[in-house]
Amino acid sequence: MSHTSNNVSGVDNTFRRKFDREEYLERARERERQEEEVRSKPKGPPVQRKPLKHRDYIVDLESRLGKTQVVTPVAPLSQQAGYYCSVCECVVKDSANYLDHINGKKHQRALGMSMRVERASLKQVQERFDNLKKRKDVGSFTEQDLDERILKQQQEEEERKRQRKERKKEKKKEKAAEEEAEIDPDVAAMMGFGGFRSSKK
């Protein structure tokens, strides 16, 4: 037999948050209006950046190599450990990452360049070839010069080998003289041999 009563005790749901649907509908409409305004605004002309150019300076990676430095957390960025990029105002910890950074998109955009290379015309390529030919002619050398250099190098190598052999012979002679001085000739004669060294020389 179950006992029924008029006082039904259930779960208290008063702690649950109640949402005002009208308020949130109004917020959604307002956000949609703002997004529409942003979309409808005419965008300015796209930023025209210069094409990539080669660096006209030498990247200094070795000036701080092998030097010790006290690193403090309050030091300015340019004096912290690593490589400092003054264009992007950031510090990169090693040389490989620094090279990646200065060749990367973010750094090139900060310099005002796009990542595209200017397409060269036929005339520009021909001029470049002419310049390289002129530069080559000024300090050029013939096959005869090359043969002379090879011959000279071979002679130097032979001279080094000859000197090495002479040094080895001198060391052997000195070693043999030391061994003979250490052995008493009377003891060696009594034992029946001339010395303790091998028969090979």
Side-chain angles (χ1 to χ4, degrees):
M1 293 186 154
S2 69
H3 178 66
T4 59
S5 91
N6 291 339
N7 293 339
V8 178
S9 63
V11 179
D12 184 18
N13 289 336
T14 57
F15 70 92
R16 290 191 180 180
R17 191 169 176 190
K18 294 180 175 62
F19 293 99
D20 185 7
R21 289 178 182 251
E22 293 299 322
E23 180 187 349
Y24 284 99
L25 277 172
E26 185 60 37
R27 283 189 191 177
R29 289 185 189 117
E30 181 64 31
R31 189 176 65 236
E32 285 175 359
R33 274 194 294 262
Q34 288 174 353
E35 288 175 359
E36 188 64 36
E37 287 175 9
V38 171
R39 277 191 226 123
S40 64
K41 272 187 182 175
K43 293 181 180 177
V47 178
Q48 189 67 28
R49 291 190 170 92
K50 295 179 281 184
L52 274 179
K53 292 186 294 185
H54 64 85
R55 277 190 287 277
D56 53 356
Y57 61 92
I58 296 171
V59 179
D60 182 24
L61 297 176
E62 287 128 13
S63 66
R64 298 164 79 181
L65 190 67
K67 295 183 180 175
T68 47
Q69 176 183 2
V70 178
V71 180
T72 59
V74 294
L77 280 176
S78 61
Q79 294 174 356
Q80 286 185 0
Y83 296 92
Y84 177 69
C85 175
S86 57
V87 177
C88 304
E89 295 180 352
C90 65
V91 176
V92 187
K93 295 299 178 191
D94 59 7
S95 59
N97 287 335
Y98 181 67
L99 286 175
D100 287 344
H101 169 74
I102 62 175
N103 293 329
K105 185 185 282 187
K106 180 183 173 187
H107 184 83
Q108 297 300 335
R109 282 202 174 164
L111 290 173
M113 288 189 274
S114 68
M115 292 301 287
R116 296 198 174 141
V117 181
E118 186 177 7
R119 191 166 177 86
S121 65
L122 178 63
K123 186 177 179 183
Q124 290 173 327
V125 173
Q126 288 172 341
E127 288 174 359
R128 181 78 174 175
F129 275 134
D130 291 338
N131 288 340
L132 291 173
K133 282 180 185 177
K134 287 176 186 174
R135 193 183 307 167
K136 187 177 178 183
D137 289 341
V138 171
S140 66
F141 56 90
T142 61
E143 284 186 32
Q144 185 178 4
D145 294 337
L146 184 63
D147 291 339
E148 287 175 7
R149 286 173 57 192
I150 291 172
L151 185 63
K152 185 177 178 184
Q153 200 170 18
Q154 287 174 346
Q155 289 173 349
E156 289 174 358
E157 185 68 30
E158 288 173 3
E159 181 66 22
R160 278 196 295 264
K161 285 182 181 177
R162 188 183 59 76
Q163 289 176 354
R164 211 176 296 138
K165 282 183 181 179
E166 287 178 6
R167 279 192 297 246
K168 281 186 179 179
K169 283 183 183 178
E170 288 174 11
K171 283 184 181 178
K172 279 187 178 180
K173 286 179 184 176
E174 289 174 9
K175 197 173 182 182
E178 287 176 10
E179 286 179 1
E180 288 177 7
E182 290 175 6
I183 300 170
D184 189 16
D186 296 332
V187 174
M190 189 169 57
M191 295 179 88
F193 50 83
F196 289 104
R197 64 175 182 262
S198 66
S199 59
K200 294 181 182 177
K201 285 193 177 184

